[in-house]
Structures are given as C-alpha cells and as structure tokens.
Amino acid sequence: MRLELKLLAEVGIIGLPNAGKSTLISVISAAKPKIADYPFTTLVPSLGVVRKPTGDGTVFADIPGLIAGAHTGAGLGHEFLRHIERTRVLLHLIDVTSEDPIANYHIIEQELQAYGRGLADRRQIIALNKVDAVDDTLDVGAIAAQLQAILGQIPVFPISAVARIGLEPLLQEIWQLLSP
Ligand SMILES: Nc1nc2c(ncn2[C@@H]2O[C@H](COP(=O)(O)OP(=O)(O)O)[C@@H](O)[C@H]2O)c(=O)[nH]1
Ligand SMILES: [Mg+2]
C-alpha cells in the first residue's frame, strides 16, 4: 500500500526557481520559507495562510522545483506538480529581470500542459515580479503587454515582493477568482 500526500491549498504559487515564490509567500503570509538567490533553496512546498479583507484565511502553497522537464520527473518535478493538482488558482510568478521572461512563461506553461490532469486549464494569474530591480533598459510595460497578447483574458500584474509593490491589486484579483 502506498500513501500519497497531496497538499490542500487553494492557491498554488508556481514559477521557475528564483522567481521569488518563497519571498512572496513570506511577505503575504506568516510562512517563513528559505530564501536565497540561487535555485532550489526550497525543496518542500511551504504553506501560508493569507487573510482576505473579510478575515477568512486562504491557504497559499509555494510550489518549488518547477523546471523544464519537470513533468518527466526532472529535478523532482513530479513530486511538486502533484501538489498543484488540488489548487483552485495558480499564481504564476515570473522574474521580470530575467533574460527572457516570455520564454520563462512558456517553460512553465509547457510543463503544466505536459503533466496533464487539468493543470493547464486551471484558473491562472500572472505576476511579473522584481519590478523594483528594473533599470532604464527594461520596459516592464512592454513585457506585460507582450504577455497579455499571449494570455488573452488572463490578468498580468507587475509586482515586487521585496518592495511590496502591487500586492494589493494582485490579492484582490485572487479573491475575485476564488469567489464562487
Ligand atoms: N529585487 C527583488 N528581488 C527579489 C524579489 N523577490 C525575490 N527576490 C530575490 O530573488 C531571489 C530568489 O527569491 P526566492 O523567493 O528564494 O525565489 P524562489 O526560488 O522562487 O522561491 C532572492 O535573492 C530574493 O531576495 C523582488 O521583488 N525584488
Ligand atoms: Mg523558493
């Protein structure tokens, strides 16, 4: 007999290593995951309870370890993808200062598609993180517009987890998506 633990979180925070998932969950909840500027600091999903304006708690999960090939098990990917299965909303975090944020979006999206089990159809919201760290050479608005063209209805939010920029509108949208 084999028992499997699947976490119960309403919102799964996904994205490539270093996107800022652990930082975000530590800022919006009381969870204190490991944070560092190298990949794979988080090897277990961490859960955090985020309060709605109504006072109700909603569980968010920081899902680590998603990389290209995760659906085949690369980098423990399967272990982590399994935890996303029961979430209602996926918050996909992208490091806007990374070399190619659009390509990063596609890497994760392809993993969701390849894993199957309805993950690619889960309601999603995209956050472009680290807007506090962009210089004049980077046009966040243009990147957001480019993503928006690909995503259609799926909303894109520029945020900074560290500088706490744009978090309120992002959470508002999540509460909206979760409301029946
Ligand atoms: N400048 C800046 N750095 C950030 C932000 N969010 C996370 N980081 C940094 O990015 C690195 C990776 O963050 P972490 O939360 O561990 O990413 P994870 O691998 O997705 O969990 C750390 O050095 C964080 O301090 C942000 O909003 N702005
Ligand atoms: Mg992490």
Side-chain angles (χ1 to χ4, degrees), residues 22 34 41-42 62:
S22 301
K34 276 195 210 162
T41 40
T42 323
D62 161 10

Side-chain angles (χ1 to χ4, degrees), residues 16-23 35-37 41 129-130 132-133 160-162:
L16 288 174
N18 237 22
K21 301 177 295 296
S22 301
T23 304
I35 293 163
D37 61 356
T41 40
N129 189 31
K130 310 194 187 182
D132 61 291
S160 166
V162 163

